[in-house]
Amino acid sequence: PNAARAANAPAMSAQEAGRILDIPPRADAAVVEAAYRRLMQRMHPDTGGSAYLAQLLNQARETLLDDRR
């Protein structure tokens, strides 16, 4: 069910993804990865975080990294 919800989610802009990861929208891949890991350590469901927030972090990371390819 979560995969279906993620697939149907509206596309996230680089601006939105940058706000979610708290980085500039044009940050390089290393900055994106570092911000993602830092936030995911706190927000991952296995560490008491929210599955929804973890999903947003994943989507933000994918959006920003896809923009760099």
Side-chain angles (χ1 to χ4, degrees):
N2 287 339
R5 192 174 339 134
N8 294 332
M12 182 182 290
S13 72
Q15 190 84 5
E16 291 171 307
R19 280 196 300 263
I20 289 169
L21 293 176
D22 195 27
I23 57 174
R26 292 285 164 213
D28 66 14
V31 172
V32 172
E33 286 294 334
Y36 169 78
R37 286 190 181 117
R38 175 179 48 84
L39 291 169
M40 191 57 89
Q41 284 179 336
R42 291 187 303 180
M43 302 299 173
H44 195 277
D46 290 347
T47 60
S50 161
Y52 176 74
L53 291 177
Q55 182 181 4
L56 280 179
L57 291 173
N58 282 325
Q59 187 179 1
R61 176 179 167 256
E62 289 173 13
T63 298
L64 291 174
L65 291 179
D66 284 349
D67 283 355
R68 274 128 193 89
R69 291 181 188 152

